[in-house]
Amino acid sequence: MPLVTTKDMFEKAYAGGYAIGGFNVNNMEIVHGIVDAAAEVRSPLILQASSGARKYAKGVYLRKLVEAAVEDSGLPIALHLDHGADFEICKECIDNGFTSVMIDASHHPFEENVAIVKKVVEYAHAHGVVVEAELGRLAGVEDDVKVSDKDAFYTDPEQAAEFVQRTGIDSLAIAIGTSHGAYKFKGEARLRFDILEKIGGLLPGFPIVLHGASSVPKDLVEKVNKYGGNMPGAQGVPEDMLRKAASMAVCKINIDSDLRLAMTGTIREYFALHPADFDPRQYLGPAREAIKAVVKHKITEVLGSANKA
Ligand code: G3H
Ligand code: 13P
Ligand code: ZN
């Protein structure tokens, strides 16, 4: 089976009230961990590479790893560009076998965002590739309190409906209070489900994407800190909120930080407990297993995408 787009995945996820994980990949162990977990519970997958990932691993290595994952697992897997900064980057990925791209022009004024996204959609659709775009700005509570109009960062539902209609995109990333990284909330976690609900009402059947959706599990942070790390106050999106989002219009939930935490905590622990070891396979193996455990939990307990492959 070749790499697939997200079209079929999202249709089924929307109808079934679950979400597909958009997992960030940067090297072989991360790909193995995610794919081994998904294969055990028969979940479709979106494996995504950011610009940083493509620079770090070289785009072609990541693409070949993901192609190998399809061959190895037989799962429906989409290869997605995460946060494509401009048309050229999206075009390069489309020309090189990606089946889905994100054009992130959300920091531009609305009309400019529409124009840039439209250009990507035209090129992508002509090549059988689907497009995710973003409207609104992901912000944490910290940003929130600095802004006088609190809602300025959140996605405006009416504008979202116009944006989808004018650009012809296949999915839309929205800002409802999540943010990237391991420090999402200072205090109580809060997401604007009212905004998500309005968007769902204005765009029935249309797949919504949630970025910055790691849950930053306490046990993973504790392990990092126990073995020499320093991540005080790390906090993510509670799992019940992600389940609720998945039951609504959210069809793709992006997860990177949780994988980083799993890998880092495990390697820190290994180094602390086995100071004489120096074969990378000795610590990368357990790190890969830790990623697998996180992803399996995510698929079965949060996303609801098990047995949907
Ligand atoms: O959205 C951000 C992802 O976590 C990717 O992060 O740009 O450091 O690869 P990165
Ligand atoms: P996290 O930092 O919450 O894992 O979000 C990742 C993401 O949104 C990738 O695009
Ligand atoms: Zn993101």
Side-chain angles (χ1 to χ4, degrees):
M1 195 206 303
L3 287 164
V4 298
T5 74
T6 54
K7 198 175 176 334
D8 195 43
M9 284 184 203
F10 287 167
E11 268 170 28
K12 289 181 182 152
Y14 197 101
Y18 62 91
I20 311 290
F23 295 102
N24 285 76
V25 295
N26 290 278
N27 66 15
M28 184 190 76
E29 284 74 13
I30 297 173
V31 173
H32 278 181
I34 298 165
V35 175
D36 289 352
E40 271 186 24
V41 293
R42 304 307 302 161
S43 169
L45 277 178
I46 299 167
L47 297 181
Q48 52 191 22
S50 68
S51 296
R54 291 174 64 245
K55 218 174 272 168
Y56 173 79
K58 294 187 186 173
V60 61
Y61 285 77
L62 290 179
R63 174 163 53 86
K64 297 286 181 190
L65 279 172
V66 173
E67 284 170 1
V70 174
E71 195 176 321
D72 180 40
S73 68
L75 293 173
I77 300 179
L79 174 58
H80 174 76
L81 168 67
D82 191 28
H83 293 283
D86 52 39
F87 174 79
E88 283 67 35
I89 294 167
C90 291
K91 180 179 182 300
E92 192 185 313
C93 288
I94 292 164
D95 293 345
N96 284 288
F98 281 60
T99 54
S100 173
V101 293
M102 175 191 193
I103 169 72
D104 185 358
S106 56
H107 46 285
H108 291 288
F110 183 73
E111 288 299 329
E112 238 172 280
N113 191 356
V114 169
I116 296 166
V117 172
K118 259 178 100 164
K119 189 174 169 193
V120 173
V121 168
E122 255 165 50
Y123 190 80
H125 284 181
H127 292 79
V129 170
V130 291
V131 179
E132 172 187 324
E134 180 171 314
L135 195 61
R137 295 231 322 253
L138 291 206
V141 166
E142 210 179 344
D143 296 319
D144 226 3
V145 290
K146 283 189 205 147
V147 183
S148 53
D149 175 9
K150 267 177 71 181
D151 284 349
F153 278 71
Y154 296 120
T155 305
D156 174 82
E158 264 93 34
Q159 213 178 39
E162 182 187 340
F163 187 73
V164 167
Q165 191 262 322
R166 284 177 61 191
T167 56
I169 52 172
D170 303 279
S171 61
L172 176 71
I174 60 167
I176 57 167
T178 62
S179 60
H180 291 111
Y183 303 89
K184 301 188 190 298
F185 305 99
K186 272 192 168 169
E188 210 190 326
R190 201 172 75 96
L191 292 190
R192 292 288 304 270
F193 283 102
D194 58 316
I195 295 179
L196 174 58
E197 199 167 357
K198 270 194 199 134
I199 293 173
L202 291 168
L203 291 165
F206 189 80
I208 299 300
V209 179
L210 214 53
H211 280 249
S214 275
S215 39
V216 188
K218 282 214 162 22
D219 56 324
L220 298 187
V221 176
E222 273 162 18
K223 190 182 267 192
V224 168
N225 289 336
K226 181 175 174 190
Y227 293 104
N230 184 22
M231 299 187 68
Q235 200 192 335
V237 183
E239 291 184 346
D240 59 331
M241 291 192 183
L242 296 172
R243 277 185 215 108
K244 182 173 171 181
S247 76
M248 297 168 74
V250 170
C251 293
K252 174 174 179 259
I253 288 186
N254 281 9
I255 297 152
D256 188 359
S257 294
D258 287 354
L259 309 180
R260 295 177 180 194
L261 284 167
M263 191 161 208
T264 300
T266 306
I267 291 174
R268 279 190 175 283
E269 178 184 42
Y270 192 90
F271 284 160
L273 300 181
H274 307 90
D277 286 354
F278 67 100
D279 178 343
R281 293 170 297 188
Q282 289 171 311
Y283 52 88
L284 291 176
R288 174 171 65 187
E289 284 303 309
I291 288 178
K292 181 179 170 185
V294 166
V295 171
K296 197 168 170 182
H297 170 82
K298 204 69 82 173
I299 289 171
T300 55
E301 307 301 325
V302 182
L303 301 167
S305 64
N307 298 313
K308 309 293 185 189

